[in-house]
Amino acid sequence: MNELVRQHTGLDDSDLEWLHLLVSEWQLLSDLSFADLVLWVPTRDGTRYVSVAQMRPNTGPTSYQDDMVGHLVPRGRRPMLDAALDEGRIVREGDPEWREEVPVRVESIPVRREGRVLGVIARNTNLLTVRTPSRLELTYLQSASDLAQMIAAGAFPFANQQVDMDASPRVGDGLIRLDADGLVQYASPNALSAYHRLGLAADLVGQHLGETTAELAPSRGPVDEALAKVASGWAPREFEIESAEGVIQFRAIPLKPKGPRIGSLVLLRDVTELRRRERELITKDATIREIHHRVKNNLQTVAALLRLQARRIESERGREALEEAVRRVGSIAIVHETLSQNLDERVEFDEIADRVLAMVAEISPGKVTGRRTGRFGILDAEIATPLSMVLTEILQNALEHGFRQGDTGTVEVSAIRGGTTKEARLLVTVQDDGVGLPEGFDPHRAGNLGLQIVRTLVEGELGGTFDMVPAPARGTQVILDIPVPTDK
């Protein structure tokens, strides 16, 4: 819609924002009208109309099989659009149109903002299934007529109230029509069922909805008076009521077709099961985070015990082996610590890579600095855990065997993530400027425990490839190519 409005019309950003607000709300008008809606805006030169948005009803058959957005029609071809735009009134005159052997009633509703008509809504009703309307349908149509008059007067949508239609109650979820005093004129079967769930034993028609709702809601002292007023539809509001039996979501819409409020619409939805599942997910997420936190604590305890044991061993090789084990355990603990702070089983691996780089750099025999370039991005836990161990082993091997006591140098970790959605890859390169590889060295046959761990994790768990080659200038270059899900 933004592109069409800016390309073809002279509306400014504030006008466009008003149209966005209207489009976020007009599913309500479409469902109440049992009709398709198409928003037409005059072009900059005033010779044509461009359709910038379209909505189909959930309550009835559509009048348009094709998408109308982007269509241009010259002024004069649709006289009802002209009349609505020029006269600023709702136009209902005219015989039904026939589209693909389907009779369609067309109405035009001007869209007004601050005294100016920005465009026209064409309301198209499929008449093929017309029959004697029920009380429910009559209430829908009367409410749609009131909303249409409010749009034409610039009183709807409500300014500064953006509504998430995916989360808000819809017409079919439950509808209550109130008079100006807040008394129930009509309640749909779904609305009545929702109130029965709150504990209402009687019918709703004739009752004061605000007072009835406040009586059914759990006692909250002074808040009850405010709840009674809100539930009476005096102002546009969304709220929820939770009782021992269920949770009901409400949306109140004041009706002011001619200025003063003549009543209200109250849409409501039973969200008991939805809220129960949300609470279960919150509890599950909290439990998972607590598990990761405890695993991290246990790993740190294991690392502390290994470190304590290393101090008591006289053998140099035994002490080095335990210190290597401490670093391996520490790299896994870093992943679990990060997971304990997240809401899902995914981590930002750049932070983990930096911490692993800093942890391993502590064992450097000389003045070796480490740095990271590129981004690993967000990784799933089943990838992050083995990758952190792989990175630890590679960095540890580079610092221990690439540099001698007193040497200065650099170890750089580079990450490039790309590829297609189906075959996304993560290319990791660890390069040092140390002494390089021994002559005839084969990384795929070397018996070093660290390299064995790298090969097993990369090729087995991560499904990637691993290679170790001389760096282009000096030192050693380790290359990892790992398949990963796309970064979201």
Side-chain angles (χ1 to χ4, degrees):
M1 186 167 75
N2 288 354
E3 182 179 348
L4 288 170
V5 168
R6 287 169 179 152
Q7 179 181 353
H8 295 285
T9 79
L11 300 182
D12 59 25
D13 289 343
S14 60
D15 294 332
L16 180 57
E17 184 63 31
W18 182 261
L19 295 185
H20 274 293
L21 195 60
L22 172 67
V23 169
S24 73
E25 292 270 29
W26 72 344
Q27 180 74 64
L28 174 63
L29 177 62
S30 178
D31 290 345
L32 290 172
S33 304
F34 308 98
D36 291 76
L37 305 178
V38 179
L39 177 57
W40 297 93
V41 179
T43 57
R44 191 174 289 105
D45 59 9
T47 61
R48 295 180 296 175
Y49 296 96
V50 57
S51 57
V52 299
Q54 179 179 359
M55 178 57 66
R56 291 184 172 91
N58 294 317
T59 52
T62 183
S63 302
Y64 287 110
Q65 298 302 323
D66 299 326
D67 189 357
M68 294 297 296
V69 175
H71 282 215
L72 289 161
V73 298
R75 185 177 172 88
R77 179 175 295 180
R78 301 192 178 183
M80 296 178 69
L81 290 182
D82 298 340
L85 182 68
D86 296 339
E87 301 172 23
R89 65 180 180 89
I90 298 175
V91 180
R92 296 191 175 94
E93 300 88 358
D95 297 326
E97 298 179 2
W98 287 84
R99 299 175 187 163
E100 299 180 358
E101 300 184 355
V102 175
V104 176
R105 183 175 62 243
V106 181
E107 303 169 77
S108 296
I109 306 167
V111 177
R112 191 183 302 275
R113 174 180 178 264
E114 296 180 352
R116 296 183 300 115
V117 177
L118 306 182
V120 179
I121 295 175
R123 181 164 56 176
N124 304 270
T125 307
N126 186 324
L127 301 177
L128 196 60
T129 58
V130 168
R131 54 185 173 79
T132 303
S134 64
R135 179 72 187 281
L136 172 69
E137 292 167 334
L138 287 173
T139 303
Y140 277 19
L141 292 172
Q142 179 58 52
S143 301
S145 177
D146 293 335
L147 284 177
Q149 292 182 60
M150 291 171 64
I151 291 173
F156 188 83
F158 302 110
N160 304 319
Q161 191 187 45
Q162 190 77 31
V163 176
D164 183 0
M165 291 306 296
D166 291 332
S168 294
R170 298 196 176 193
V171 170
D173 296 325
L175 178 143
I176 298 174
R177 171 96 185 201
L178 307 179
D179 65 13
D181 296 323
L183 301 179
V184 177
Q185 293 179 315
Y186 176 79
S188 71
N190 284 346
L192 193 58
S193 296
Y195 265 84
H196 286 167
R197 183 147 199 173
L198 287 177
L200 180 69
D203 193 5
L204 268 175
V205 175
Q207 296 199 42
H208 190 282
L209 188 68
E211 296 175 358
T212 302
T213 304
E215 291 173 1
L216 294 172
S219 178
R220 296 181 295 178
V223 182
D224 290 345
E225 184 177 348
L227 175 61
K229 194 172 185 66
V230 170
S232 299
W234 286 88
R237 292 286 186 274
E238 291 194 35
F239 59 98
E240 282 188 7
I241 294 177
E242 181 172 0
S243 69
E245 301 299 326
V247 184
I248 307 299
Q249 183 182 23
F250 290 80
R251 184 186 177 199
I253 304 168
L255 296 176
K256 304 175 180 179
K258 296 181 181 179
R261 191 177 69 88
I262 64 166
S264 305
L265 279 183
V266 177
L267 306 180
L268 60 158
R269 176 195 294 167
D270 186 342
V271 292
T272 305
E273 288 302 311
L274 178 63
R275 295 295 177 261
R276 181 184 63 81
R277 291 174 185 174
E278 288 177 351
R279 291 190 183 100
E280 288 179 353
L281 288 174
I282 291 172
T283 302
K284 178 182 176 183
D285 289 341
T287 302
I288 291 173
R289 290 199 299 273
E290 177 63 21
I291 289 172
H292 284 303
H293 182 70
R294 293 188 182 187
V295 169
K296 182 263 297 184
N297 288 344
N298 290 339
L299 289 172
Q300 288 180 338
T301 301
V302 171
L305 292 173
L306 291 173
R307 197 176 292 110
L308 182 64
Q309 186 67 37
R311 296 194 188 104
R312 295 174 176 269
I313 292 182
E314 296 181 0
S315 168
E316 183 70 22
R317 293 188 61 185
R319 185 162 54 252
E320 290 177 356
L322 286 177
E323 288 174 351
E324 287 181 3
V326 168
R327 286 188 288 274
R328 289 168 185 146
V329 172
S331 67
I332 302 175
I334 290 173
V335 177
H336 283 281
E337 181 180 4
T338 305
L339 287 169
S340 70
Q341 299 168 2
N342 293 348
L343 295 176
D344 54 16
E345 291 290 285
R346 310 183 78 214
V347 295
E348 177 62 64
F349 197 81
D350 295 321
E351 177 186 350
I352 293 175
D354 291 341
R355 293 179 63 179
V356 168
L357 191 59
M359 177 182 69
V360 176
E362 295 176 0
I363 68 167
S364 171
K367 297 180 179 180
V368 180
T369 59
R371 66 170 179 263
R372 173 180 60 84
T373 61
R375 286 192 69 250
F376 287 86
I378 298 175
L379 297 177
D380 294 335
E382 60 263 24
I383 296 176
T385 300
L387 183 58
S388 68
M389 286 195 64
V390 167
L391 195 59
T392 300
E393 296 298 333
I394 293 174
L395 289 170
Q396 185 170 301
N397 188 76
L399 292 171
E400 286 185 352
H401 303 290
F403 300 94
R404 292 183 290 268
Q405 191 71 34
D407 285 352
T408 59
T410 303
V411 177
E412 179 178 315
V413 178
S414 171
I416 301 174
R417 190 165 180 173
T420 64
T421 302
K422 294 182 179 179
E423 297 183 359
R425 312 290 298 185
L426 175 63
L427 183 65
V428 181
T429 304
V430 180
Q431 182 170 315
D432 66 69
D433 55 3
V435 298
L437 296 172
E439 186 175 349
F441 179 80
D442 184 356
H444 299 285
R445 295 185 179 180
N448 180 295
L449 176 61
L451 291 182
Q452 289 181 17
I453 292 174
V454 170
R455 287 198 300 268
T456 300
L457 292 178
V458 171
E459 297 172 0
E461 289 198 32
L462 295 175
T465 60
F466 155 73
D467 201 7
M468 180 181 288
V469 297
R474 177 188 175 189
T476 305
Q477 189 178 72
V478 180
I479 303 170
L480 307 176
D481 188 359
I482 302 168
V484 294
T486 55
D487 194 354
K488 298 180 180 177

